[in-house]
Amino acid sequence: MVKITGYETHDVRFPTSLTGDGTDAMNTDCDYSSAYVVLQTDTELTGYGMTFTIGRGNDIVCSAIREVANRLVGKDTEELFEDMGKTWDYLMADPQLRWIGPEKGVIHIATGAVNNALWDMYARSRNKPLWKLLVDFTPEELVKSASFRYITDAITKEEALAMLKEKAAGKAEREAKVRELGYPAYVTSAGWLGYSDEKVARLTKEAIAQGFNHFKMKVGANLKDDVRRGNLIRSIIDDPQFLPPGVAPRDPNGEDLRNKNAGPTGAVLMIDANQVWDVNQAIEYVKGLEEIKPWFIEEPTAPDDILGHAAVRKALKPHGIGVATGEHAHNRMVFKQLLQADAIDVVQIDSCRLAGVSEVLSVLFMAAKFGVPVCPHAGGVGLCEYVIHLSLIDYIAVSGTMERNVLEFVDHLHEHFVTPCSINERGRYNVPDIPTEGYSIEMHKSSIAEYEWPSGSYWQTRIKQ
C-alpha cells in the first residue's frame, strides 16, 4: 500500500520578456512561468505536475495548488488510480475551495496541476508514458476516467463508450503509424508580435527547413503591419525554393489540406488575436487580412463569449476563414457550448487551464462526437511536453484521425525538462517512449534552483543589480 505523504510547490519564472518570446496583441510582457507541484509518497513513487502562467500571480496559483494537493495527503494511491473520474470529482468537491471558482479561475488551473501530477504518478507506477497508459485502457476504463457532470446534454457516458468501442479495433495500427511518422505539428515560434521582420523571415525559413508546413502568426495590434508581416511569411512558405532538398510541394487540394487555404506548396497560415477585439471589430479586422489567406483566426474575442464566436464564424465563413479557440476556455462546459452553438472549426484544448487529464478527456469525447478536430494549445513552458500525450490519446483511442490535426510547437525552454519533447525531420512530434517519463513534465532540479522566484540564482542576481 502506497500512500501520498506530502507535496512541494515551486514558483518558477523564466525571463522571456527580454527577448519578446510569447508577445501578442493582448500580452505584451510575458515571463513564461510554471506553478509546479511534486506529489510525494512513502515510497520512491513521485508525481510531477504544473500549470502555466506568464509571470506575476504565479505565487497565487502555487498557494491554490497547496490547498488542492492537501486533499490527497494520506490517500492510498491505488484507490485513487482505480477510479480517476471519481478522484477528479473528489478534488473538485471541497465546498470552500469550489466557492472561489466554481470550476474556473485560479482554483481550476491549480486543480489542473494537481490532477496532472496524479496522472503522472499513475503512469510512472505502471512504467508507461502517460499516453500509453491511457490508450491501453479499455473503453470502459477511459470513460470511467473522465468527468461527465454538466455535459450529459452534449454527450452521455453511454455515447462515449459506444464511440470508443467503435475505434478500439484500430488502436494498434494507429499506434504503429504515429510511431513511424510522428504527430503533425505547426510552428508559432516565427510569428510573435514583438519580432522584427528580419527575425520573422529567418525563423520562417528555418521552420520550413525543419519540415513544418503549418505556420501561425500573431495579429491584432495594427492591420497594416499584420498584412505586411503576413505577406512576408506567405512569400516564403509559398515559394518552392525554400523547401528542403528532395521535398516536393504538397497538394493544396488534398483531403488533409481541404478548406485550409493552403498555398501552392501546400503550406498553411493561421492567425491568432489573443482575445483583443470586440465581435464586430474581429469580423472587420479579419476581413482585412483575407489576402494573406489564413486557415483560421484564433481567439478573435473574449474566450467566454460563445455567441460572439458563433457570430464571427458565421460572418467569416463566406471569406473562407474559420474560427479556433480554447486555450482560455476554462472548463468543459465552455467547450460544450462552443460545439453546441456551431461556433468553432477547431478545438484548442489547453493541458492545464482545464483541470487536468480527466477534464481533457471529456472535451476530447465531445469534439469527436461533434466531428471537430482538436489542435491543442502549446505556446508556453511545459505545454509542448504535456500536449503531445493528449494528441496521441485523441488519435489512437478517441477520434481515430490525425490527417487534419496539427499540434502547436514552440521552440522555447524545453531544455529545462528531464524528458523534453522533440520534433523529427518531417516537422512532426516524436512519440514519447521512455517508460519512466510519465507525463513528461519533470523539471531539472538545477532549473528550479536557478529560476525559482524570488530565491533562484538568476533572480537573486537581477534583484541585487
Side-chain angles (χ1 to χ4, degrees), residues 50-52 60-61 64-65 67-68 88-89 91-93 97-116 147 149-150 326-335 350-360 362-363:
M50 58 152 278
T51 195
F52 168 67
I60 299 172
V61 182
I65 286 172
E67 293 294 328
V68 177
W88 190 87
D89 288 339
L91 284 174
M92 306 300 296
L97 295 181
R98 177 180 167 77
W99 186 264
I100 58 174
E103 298 193 35
K104 54 181 172 286
V106 170
I107 198 66
H108 205 61
I109 63 176
T111 304
V114 176
N115 184 252
N116 286 341
S147 172
R149 191 176 194 181
Y150 303 138
E327 71 177 87
H328 282 84
H330 47 247
N331 56 39
R332 64 207 176 281
M333 290 80 79
V334 174
F335 281 106
D350 184 279
S351 57
C352 50
R353 185 165 296 277
L354 292 172
V357 175
S358 293
E359 190 172 32
V360 166
S362 306
V363 178

Side-chain angles (χ1 to χ4, degrees), residues 389-429:
H389 291 267
L390 304 179
S391 287
L392 290 170
I393 294 163
D394 177 52
Y395 169 54
I396 298 170
V398 183
S399 71
T401 180
M402 65 173 176
E403 276 59 46
R404 294 183 56 76
N405 302 56
V406 279
L407 172 55
E408 185 171 18
F409 177 76
V410 294
D411 192 16
H412 308 299
L413 305 171
H414 302 298
E415 68 274 14
H416 297 290
F417 294 90
V418 175
T419 52
C421 67
S422 63
I423 297 291
N424 66 24
E425 70 280 357
R426 300 184 182 95
R428 290 170 172 249
Y429 275 84

